[in-house]
Amino acid sequence: MGDRSDAEVVDELIASTPWVLRDLSVSFQDWKERVLEQDVASIDIVIVGSGAVGFSMSPLKLGRPFRESSRNRPSDIDLALVAPDLFAECWECFREFERRRRLRMDYADKRRMREHVYFGHVTDKTLPRDTSPSRSILQIRSAAGRQTELRGHPVNIRVYRNRTDLRDYQLQSLRSLRRALREAT
């Protein structure tokens, strides 16, 4: 990472072709268009996590190599969808379910979900099933999983309100990683 700032490192990671797709015969942009097969011009996909760099940057699994699908328990693929309209739809879904007292989460999960929303993202696993936003996310997850390059890897999705929120989250993660490395040495 040399003399570059954390922000420069994060910007490069977000803008570059992910490690897991390094050997594509088509551009990363073409790959994204294949995944986003429906008319979703307002969505961008960024692969983050170990699929982006080839190893885990999590302090709990630091340096663990990305595991290909042919081995036992392949690595997850973490997709970040930068999708303002979908984010708003997810938030409205949460609010509607909560108003009707149909949001099936314990207090700690609700609190975590609200914190995530505050910081500009929604995780796919917290959305109520069989809702419009959950169907949209499922469609993208299915399309990504059908792509040869990701076949066999579980796909996780976070929907971000905007690119700044994605960047801020990645920046916070990188800084946490640096702290953990300093404490370990």
Side-chain angles (χ1 to χ4, degrees), residues 14-165:
I14 290 172
S16 64
T17 297
W19 179 86
V20 71
L21 301 177
R22 68 199 176 286
D23 297 329
L24 281 181
S25 58
V26 297
S27 73
F28 182 40
Q29 184 60 40
D30 289 342
W31 181 89
K32 290 184 206 184
E33 289 172 9
R34 285 190 333 221
V35 171
L36 297 173
E37 53 198 23
Q38 71 268 17
D39 183 25
V40 285
S42 65
I43 295 180
D44 188 20
I45 299 176
V46 178
I47 295 179
V48 295
S50 62
V53 295
F55 57 90
S56 177
M57 292 176 29
S58 165
L60 302 175
K61 303 179 264 180
L62 187 57
R64 180 191 297 168
F66 182 85
R67 295 181 311 275
E68 298 295 341
S69 62
S70 60
R71 298 186 184 147
N72 292 341
R73 195 145 185 235
S75 290
D76 293 350
I77 301 293
D78 298 312
L79 297 183
L81 303 181
V82 179
D85 294 341
L86 183 56
F87 177 87
E89 194 177 349
C90 291
W91 177 231
E92 277 303 314
C93 180
F94 283 135
R95 290 179 51 184
E96 184 63 28
F97 271 68
E98 183 66 2
R99 278 187 207 116
R100 295 180 181 185
R101 302 195 187 285
R102 292 178 48 212
L103 196 55
R104 303 289 180 232
M105 293 180 188
D106 64 27
Y107 179 76
D109 288 339
K110 283 182 187 179
R111 187 172 162 186
R112 191 172 19 264
M113 178 267 303
R114 290 177 182 135
E115 182 179 311
H116 289 176
V117 169
Y118 176 81
F119 285 107
H121 69 272
V122 172
T123 61
D124 59 340
K125 293 180 178 34
T126 59
L127 270 173
R129 295 177 188 251
D130 202 28
T131 60
S132 177
S134 69
R135 285 189 294 273
S136 296
I137 291 169
L138 182 60
Q139 188 173 4
I140 293 168
R141 177 189 290 119
S142 295
R146 284 193 306 271
Q147 303 301 314
T148 304
E149 301 82 9
L150 302 187
R151 198 166 291 141
H153 293 277
V155 176
N156 301 313
I157 295 180
R158 279 192 177 164
V159 179
Y160 286 84
R161 178 177 41 206
N162 55 47
R163 204 158 184 86
T164 300
D165 290 334

